[in-house]
Amino acid sequence: MTETLPPVGTDLFEVERLLLAEAAEPPLPPRDAEARDRVWDTAVRANPTLFDGPVVACGGVEWTGPRILRLSWVPVTYRHYALRRVPGATALPSLFVNVVQPTDDGRVLAARMSPSTAAPGRWQLPGGSVEPPQGAVLDEPGLAGQAARELAEELGISAAAEDLKLWVVTRGENGSVGLTYLAPALPEATLRAAFTVAAAAERIQGREPELDDIALVRSPDELAGLAGPHADYLKPIVRRFSGRR
């Protein structure tokens, strides 16, 4: 018997098994589609780095058993989320993966988004939007692989997908659903050196790194010392991690 999730807030859910099923994008009235395109085009003119690439949205989540979560996913493009700024229109929640990267002394790595990104100056976990599978079904090992890729691209940290454990599922602003993985702990020096090398490699290629700073925090109180906006899930995640010891 299925059970819907409680009303949207900044929620963390314990999940032992994730069931995934593809769903179709809901039909969009022509008026909303035209308004969406106008909003998107305006955003691109303001930030030419925006790219209308393929991405996965969340079609719905529900419990099907104790700690068993069914998640439907919908292939869209980034343009879809411009619907959030169209009065009366409804955008699907976004779906993303991120990673709790601990240090060997029990801190958590938080990363700050670069000025050229869609969320400049925001502190969050390393991660990114889920991408549609290429010629295959979207499954949990594939999601772990995407999380591992984000860790490598953003922080220069190599982790095998099988070493990342689905740790918690979050739901926050706009109903967005995050699949949070726990990575093996590493020394602070290793993390900082890897990040420096990864950022330098991006600049050599003429690109601004997606992340421009990292911080290692032990508690929500330390997190509060990071100036700038924070992802809505960050404080609950840090609190949960600090309380596990």
Side-chain angles (χ1 to χ4, degrees), residues 3-9 11 13 63 171:
E3 177 187 355
T4 57
L5 298 184
V8 171
D11 305 310
F13 302 110
W63 296 113
R171 187 180 56 176

Side-chain angles (χ1 to χ4, degrees), residues 17-23 56-62 64 68-74 95 97 130 133 137-144 166 169 177 179 181:
R17 186 181 177 194
L18 189 64
L19 307 176
L20 295 144
E22 184 175 0
V56 167
C58 179
V61 286
E62 61 181 2
T64 63
I68 301 174
L69 191 67
R70 176 188 292 150
L71 186 153
S72 62
W73 59 276
V74 181
L95 179 65
V97 293
V130 173
V137 298
L138 186 65
D139 56 17
E140 208 283 320
L143 290 167
L166 181 61
V169 174
V177 174
L179 307 176
Y181 289 82

Side-chain angles (χ1 to χ4, degrees), residues 49-218:
T49 64
L50 294 178
F51 171 60
D52 191 24
V55 69
V56 167
C58 179
V61 286
E62 61 181 2
W63 296 113
T64 63
R67 298 190 178 185
I68 301 174
L69 191 67
R70 176 188 292 150
L71 186 153
S72 62
W73 59 276
V74 181
V76 295
T77 69
Y78 283 102
R79 179 185 301 262
H80 174 86
Y81 298 117
L83 287 169
R84 293 172 179 168
R85 299 180 61 188
V86 175
T90 300
L92 293 170
S94 59
L95 179 65
F96 60 93
V97 293
N98 56 21
V99 181
V100 171
Q101 175 59 68
T103 60
D104 52 9
D105 64 356
R107 290 174 289 169
V108 173
L109 185 150
R112 188 176 66 189
M113 297 288 282
S114 298
S116 64
T117 63
R122 184 178 70 187
W123 290 93
Q124 59 183 51
L125 297 178
S129 299
V130 173
E131 297 179 0
Q134 299 296 318
V137 298
L138 186 65
D139 56 17
E140 208 283 320
L143 290 167
Q146 292 198 32
R149 187 181 70 235
E150 294 288 347
L151 202 60
E153 292 177 352
E154 295 183 351
L155 297 179
I157 297 169
S158 296
E162 54 268 26
D163 291 334
L164 300 183
K165 175 186 176 182
L166 181 61
W167 188 58
V168 73
V169 174
T170 65
R171 187 180 56 176
E173 185 180 3
N174 298 311
S176 298
V177 174
L179 307 176
T180 300
Y181 289 82
L182 182 63
L186 292 171
E188 175 181 355
T190 299
L191 297 177
R192 293 195 180 279
F195 175 68
T196 298
V197 170
E202 286 292 291
R203 294 188 179 99
I204 289 172
Q205 297 296 320
R207 298 187 294 263
E208 181 179 6
E210 187 172 354
L211 305 175
D212 67 1
D213 197 9
I214 61 173
L216 302 171
V217 296
R218 194 179 301 277

